[in-house]
Amino acid sequence: MTTTDRVGVPLVVNGNAVEVSDSHPSLLAALRQELGLTSAKDGCAPSGQCGCCTVLVDGRARVSCQTTLDKVAGKTITTLEGFDPAERDRLAGAFAAAGALQCGFCTPGILVRVKALLDQKGSDLTRETTAGRLGAHLCRCTGYTKIFDAVDMLAQGHIPPVTYPGGIGGSGAKYQSTELALGDRGYIDDMDVSGMLHGALRLTDHARADVIRIDTAAAKAVPGVVDVFTAADVPGERRVGIIHTDWPIFIPVGGRTSYYGDVLAIVVAEDVNTARKAAELVDVEYNVLKPFVDPQVAVDSDEDAVWQLDGNVLSTSVYARGDVDAALASSAHTVRELFQTQRIEHAFLEPESTLAVPQDDGSLMVYSGGQGVWDDRNQIASVLGVDRDQVTVELVSNGGAFGGKEDMSNQGQTALAAHLLGRPVKCTLTREDSLRMHPKRHPIRIEIEAGCDAEGKLTAMRARLLGDSGPYASVGMKVLERAAGHASGPYVVSNIDVEAIAARTNNSVCGAFRGFGANQAQFAMEGVMDRLAAQVGISGWEMRSRNVVEPGVVWGPGQIMDDGCKGARECLDAVKPAYDAARAEGKAIGVGLGLKNSGLGNGFHEVARAVVRFEEDGTVEVRHGWTEMGQGVHTVAQQVAVEELGVDPARIRVIVDTTRELGDGQTTGSRGTLMGAGSVAAACKEAIAGGRRVGVDYEGKYEVDWTNKLEDDVENPIIHSTFGYAAQLVIADPESGSIEKVVAAHDVGRAINPMLCEGQIEGAVHMGLGYALSEDFPCDDEGRPVNMTMRSLEIIRPKDMPDVDVILVEAPQPDSPYGVKGVGEIGLVPTAGAVAAALHEVDGKWRNRLPMLKYDPIGEVE
């Protein structure tokens, strides 16, 4: 249909009579693409399963990505932009004051729904009604608890003023919280620049197939299409990667696809709908091959699963201490079990998006939501075949990541298109393409045997882990290395033997995800602890108490634990009163105890840099190297600067871009708080020493250079500089098995911002419960993902989320900035084990496989 053929659809939008083209697939598309109203976000269009696009239609909340224009012709549409200013302030203020948003991507849609609820119910709006009526909305960050708190404030009219935190230890609203709540602080897909084109990716139709021919003629013939690019158009390197450079930007003619997310072409057009429709017209001829979908079959095969990569073993991590066989033989009690964890989708609410803008000097500005913008810059430059100083990457704080945005998704293809065309290009993935492309949580098969003496003291443990890492490295070898190192949990085991293999297959790529291997390994170890406790005749809490690490003990791969590990005992003790009370009430209960490193460790020399700069207008610019993705690292930087410089937090502006060489690697492993706090504090100290002169970059750095690799020939290696600890108590109804409450005691070392810490833990518990009970992302026998909508992921909805009581424990880490340990990674490590123990008390069945509501126990290893 040409522009002259299009019919105008009359609407009243935010009080103004308008006409929009009927060519848009939905009301959401018309609002965003034609009217420039971006508070309604596109998280899953056209499925309508996340709620981010909610608007008011004649005063009723409606999911706009599923609302066609013919259904709303002549109706009154109100987006957050059109709310009364006082109401906007009230809604945003409540959510900011309660800490009810983290990444903020889902929040505008929730605020619209909340307004509709308040208009209907007023002060009679209850927490239960709110939970039920928010069923159309997903929040992957908060766990909903603080959202309910904010709605309670609004319903009762008791909204405290929004206060921003002072220095270290002060609670307060996160950086840019009100702007995020209202959708005013845009994400990449909200950005528009003059002359901007739109890109769409053509992905493979088969997980493993030789590409015989790629015909772009039909796509190029579509009106509005500017060009189509393939591997033949790449002037530089065709492969990228964080650790190994093994991930193709495009699969070329003559190449071979290796998973269902491989990219064949990018179509660039004048508008996004044209680009996506044309991408479907790129015709590809294949010779389809049988994919490797079983990691054990892949490991045992002599045939390479992945094109041009030798062998199907990505990595092997091993260590051993003592004589495991002798210790097991003399143990009073032993268990031998097989555990299987599942593949999980991150389900961040903001699909990946990149905007690349050519500059007048021939360089390229790239706006990225990736977790390591310096890595993005370096890889983009390699693809374009240009020097790194010809590419600048600026972080646009993203709408959630959890590890899933460490690897590049569409940054390379988008930058290539802009570079070749000399025009700005934006590419935003559809939810389906996002699900297909980015790495997932590793499914890991864990064979484990362990023993204890008659008193319940652990004697030995042996574990064999096999993880399905998909075709490309990502950080898969590090996930399995971390799983191996954490396999014994936060317990003392004198005799230990661990091997962990990361296998290459043609299933979805697997990489970083909150917990990073520790949660998979410790689901197995916690299961062992409960089985041994039953044999000894003591409680799960007591079993853990008798074996928990203490300063001076030798842990796992041989590390001698420092005073930071006191947090493990403190967390266990913190949940004991609730444990005893729930037992007295006859509840079904389970307790889990976990540890998780902060930082990279394993011999990696970590250097974090930051810059503090005083500007003429009184602004204090703080530049650091970490990605803000909802966890609050910008707020950490702000609070450290307030602590060290004594300035008003309103004066501070936080920036992350590659104009300075501050590259700290990926924002992963709770590194942001630990390394970011140290580097910003160092930069502030340099500024103080230098007299705080205007226009001067004061650079500081924080280093961790004292860890060892697992392979190092060291009797007592320091595998990690810092660990966080957590104990979680799961309380369930003894008849139905319904989980009623989770008590979460988390040692964060030092809480930079206690309210935001609580929110991180509540969100992690929500994610951990989904991991334990319902979430799954399987691939079929062809390597094709099965669950391709948000609803099919079985993420826990608001009405099904139990209460979460958070207990912050602060056992400072020696030699860490302010004693901090971080909180993001540890949050869900103990959850699945605690859920399994509670459900065992309900029906007497041990759980060995995740998610527990999908699978029956798989029994002992034969």
Side-chain angles (χ1 to χ4, degrees):
M1 180 181 289
T2 66
T3 302
T4 56
D5 293 327
R6 291 173 179 169
V7 177
V9 178
L11 302 171
V12 178
V13 179
N14 296 334
N16 300 308
V18 299
E19 278 197 357
V20 297
S21 168
D22 68 348
S23 64
H24 297 289
S26 66
L27 172 60
L28 174 65
L31 293 172
R32 291 181 58 84
Q33 296 168 23
E34 186 168 343
L35 299 181
L37 298 171
T38 59
S39 66
K41 308 301 181 187
D42 184 352
C44 68
S47 66
Q49 296 175 6
C50 73
C52 295
C53 65
T54 303
V55 300
L56 297 180
V57 178
D58 287 346
R60 299 177 64 87
R62 184 81 67 87
V63 176
S64 62
C65 77
Q66 282 202 317
T67 302
T68 56
L69 288 172
D70 62 298
K71 300 293 185 183
V72 293
K75 295 185 182 295
T76 297
I77 313 299
T78 310
T79 70
L80 261 178
E81 289 93 340
F83 282 22
D84 179 81
E87 189 160 39
R88 282 167 53 87
D89 290 345
R90 194 167 68 93
L91 290 165
F95 271 63
L101 72 156
Q102 291 182 26
C103 81
F105 194 82
C106 68
T107 312
I110 291 174
L111 288 188
V112 172
R113 179 79 58 176
V114 168
K115 173 183 165 46
L117 286 173
L118 291 169
D119 287 347
Q120 294 169 14
K121 300 286 186 178
S123 60
D124 293 331
L125 180 59
T126 65
R127 204 175 181 95
E128 292 71 26
T129 298
T130 299
R133 298 289 292 276
L134 286 180
H137 296 265
L138 283 175
C139 176
R140 197 59 162 161
C141 296
T142 68
Y144 304 110
T145 298
K146 286 181 168 38
I147 292 175
F148 299 154
D149 292 342
V151 177
D152 286 346
M153 290 178 184
L154 288 161
Q156 300 308 312
H158 302 309
I159 304 170
V162 177
T163 58
Y164 290 92
I168 302 301
S171 280
K174 73 172 294 177
Y175 184 76
Q176 296 184 326
S177 54
T178 56
E179 299 96 322
L180 285 165
L182 294 168
D184 292 345
R185 204 244 58 195
Y187 301 86
I188 293 173
D189 195 40
D190 299 330
M191 299 172 69
D192 192 11
V193 297
S194 177
M196 185 175 74
L197 301 172
H198 296 265
L201 303 182
R202 171 64 160 94
L203 304 186
T204 179
D205 300 291
H206 303 282
R208 188 167 183 254
D210 292 329
V211 178
I212 307 302
R213 176 179 56 86
I214 300 175
D215 186 348
T216 64
K220 287 182 176 179
V222 174
V225 169
V226 176
D227 214 332
V228 181
F229 300 111
T230 66
D233 298 298
V234 176
E237 299 294 329
R238 291 185 178 181
R239 291 179 184 257
V240 296
I242 300 172
I243 299 176
H244 295 336
T245 308
D246 65 349
W247 197 327
I249 286 290
F250 298 101
I251 303 299
V253 172
R256 177 178 293 175
T257 67
S258 296
Y259 87 120
Y260 193 53
D262 272 327
V263 181
L264 302 177
I266 182 171
V267 176
V268 184
E270 296 290 345
D271 64 86
V272 65
N273 296 326
T274 298
R276 288 175 177 173
K277 290 175 182 177
E280 297 174 1
L281 299 178
V282 174
D283 185 47
V284 185
E285 180 183 347
Y286 304 92
N287 175 32
V288 180
L289 305 172
K290 182 177 177 58
F292 286 88
V293 295
D294 183 320
Q296 189 62 61
V297 171
V299 167
D300 293 340
S301 176
D302 293 329
E303 182 182 359
D304 295 336
V306 185
W307 178 53
Q308 293 187 336
L309 298 181
D310 294 333
N312 298 334
V313 174
L314 172 63
S315 66
T316 302
S317 300
V318 297
Y319 64 91
R321 290 187 293 111
D323 189 333
V324 172
D325 288 330
L328 288 173
S330 62
S331 295
H333 305 285
T334 60
V335 295
R336 188 166 185 246
E337 293 283 344
L338 170 65
F339 293 87
Q340 179 68 56
T341 69
Q342 79 280 42
R343 186 179 296 103
I344 290 283
E345 157 64 22
H346 299 75
F348 37 74
L349 271 293
E350 178 209 22
E352 299 90 331
S353 186
T354 301
L355 170 61
V357 183
Q359 304 296 293
D360 291 341
D361 63 1
S363 66
L364 190 68
M365 170 66 78
V366 180
Y367 298 93
S368 171
Q371 289 183 232
V373 293
W374 280 267
D375 286 346
D376 289 354
R377 178 201 62 182
N378 297 345
Q379 293 174 84
I380 289 168
S382 75
V383 170
L384 302 184
V386 301
D387 292 339
R388 291 176 179 179
D389 62 7
Q390 292 299 296
V391 179
T392 299
V393 179
E394 180 175 323
L395 169 72
V396 179
S397 300
N398 65 46
F402 313 108
K405 294 177 180 175
E406 289 192 15
D407 300 272
M408 290 210 303
S409 55
N410 58 6
Q411 289 97 323
Q413 297 90 350
T414 308
L416 173 72
H419 177 70
L420 294 177
L421 292 170
R423 290 182 63 182
V425 177
K426 180 169 69 176
C427 179
T428 301
L429 298 187
T430 64
R431 177 56 63 178
E432 181 174 333
D433 285 353
S434 174
L435 290 171
R436 289 171 63 174
M437 285 185 70
H438 73 254
K440 316 301 176 193
R441 185 187 299 286
H442 283 75
I444 301 181
R445 183 181 189 269
I446 305 162
E447 295 181 62
I448 186 169
E449 54 184 329
C452 68
D453 63 20
E455 300 302 315
K457 296 296 289 290
L458 292 170
T459 54
M461 189 271 276
R462 175 183 287 118
R464 296 292 181 264
L465 298 86
L466 177 62
D468 182 348
S469 216
Y472 307 126
S474 180
V475 292
M477 70 288 287
K478 292 299 178 181
V479 172
L480 269 295
E481 179 184 67
R482 201 78 79 250
H486 288 67
S488 59
Y491 307 115
V492 181
V493 187
S494 298
N495 302 280
I496 190 167
D497 176 8
V498 177
E499 177 186 80
I501 295 173
R504 292 190 190 270
T505 70
N506 300 117
N507 295 318
S508 298
V509 179
C510 289
F513 197 158
R514 183 186 230 162
F516 205 89
N519 51 306
Q520 292 101 313
Q522 289 177 71
F523 168 58
M525 188 62 191
E526 291 299 278
V528 163
M529 294 295 284
D530 285 317
R531 288 160 176 78
L532 288 174
Q535 292 186 32
V536 176
I538 59 177
S539 71
W541 187 93
E542 184 60 33
M543 183 71 187
R544 288 160 177 80
S545 179
R546 294 182 185 186
N547 290 281
V548 66
V549 291
E550 297 175 346
V553 303
V554 177
W555 166 82
Q559 181 163 343
I560 298 174
M561 302 302 276
D562 60 24
D563 281 356
C565 80
K566 291 177 180 178
R569 162 61 65 186
E570 292 183 27
C571 288
L572 194 58
D573 289 345
V575 301
K576 187 60 159 58
Y579 183 95
D580 291 339
R583 175 66 73 216
E585 293 173 12
K587 300 292 185 181
I589 57 176
V591 68
L593 185 64
L595 88 165
K596 175 64 177 69
N597 70 292
S598 294
L600 299 178
N602 288 106
F604 193 86
H605 182 187
E606 299 184 71
V607 182
R609 293 180 174 85
V611 164
V612 168
R613 181 184 178 94
F614 294 81
E615 301 289 6
E616 290 281 0
D617 63 0
T619 299
V620 181
E621 191 175 272
V622 177
R623 293 177 176 268
H624 63 81
W626 307 103
T627 292
E628 173 60 62
M629 47 194 169
Q631 85 281 38
V633 71
H634 281 357
T635 312
V636 168
Q638 180 186 46
Q639 289 189 243
V640 170
V642 171
E643 177 79 14
E644 298 295 335
L645 300 175
V647 299
D648 186 332
R651 291 176 55 192
I652 294 172
R653 184 162 66 107
V654 184
I655 300 173
V656 178
D657 65 26
T658 62
T659 58
R660 275 77 163 173
E661 286 301 323
L662 309 178
D664 305 328
Q666 295 294 313
T667 307
T668 185
S670 291
R671 299 177 72 213
T673 298
L674 174 69
M675 306 292 292
S679 58
V680 173
C684 290
K685 288 179 170 61
E686 290 293 325
I688 293 168
R692 309 188 190 210
R693 288 179 293 159
V694 170
V696 175
D697 280 6
Y698 294 102
E699 182 177 306
K701 69 177 181 179
Y702 178 73
E703 293 185 76
V704 175
D705 60 358
W706 60 85
T707 65
N708 305 108
K709 299 178 181 178
L710 278 177
E711 312 88 71
D712 288 351
D713 187 18
V714 178
E715 182 178 358
N716 295 117
I718 301 173
I719 301 299
H720 298 291
S721 68
T722 307
F723 294 93
Y725 301 89
Q728 291 181 4
L729 169 67
V730 170
I731 302 171
D733 182 277
E735 300 298 326
S736 68
S738 175
I739 295 175
E740 299 175 346
K741 179 183 286 189
V742 178
V743 181
H746 284 240
D747 170 31
V748 301
R750 179 78 185 278
I752 302 290
N753 185 316
M755 182 176 73
L756 299 190
C757 266
E758 287 178 2
Q760 281 281 294
I761 294 165
E762 290 159 357
V765 170
H766 170 260
M767 190 176 282
L769 290 173
Y771 171 61
L773 293 169
S774 58
E775 293 185 40
D776 200 3
F777 194 79
C779 292
D780 64 17
D781 290 343
E782 300 303 316
R784 184 186 301 262
V786 173
N787 295 335
M788 293 300 292
T789 65
M790 297 295 270
R791 182 169 288 119
S792 68
L793 300 177
E794 298 288 348
I795 297 167
I796 293 174
R797 296 279 174 165
K799 66 181 179 60
D800 300 316
M801 184 63 191
D803 291 338
V804 180
D805 290 347
V806 174
I807 304 170
L808 291 180
V809 173
E810 296 181 291
Q813 175 64 39
D815 302 321
S816 167
Y818 311 108
V820 300
K821 296 176 177 176
V823 66
E825 290 279 345
I826 182 64
L828 49 61
V829 172
T831 315
V835 170
L839 294 183
H840 178 262
E841 291 203 353
V842 173
D843 60 15
K845 297 179 181 179
W846 294 115
R847 269 74 179 175
N848 295 58
R849 189 169 188 179
L850 301 179
M852 296 177 208
L853 295 183
K854 181 176 180 180
Y855 296 106
D856 289 328
I858 58 177
E860 295 185 352
V861 179
E862 295 296 331

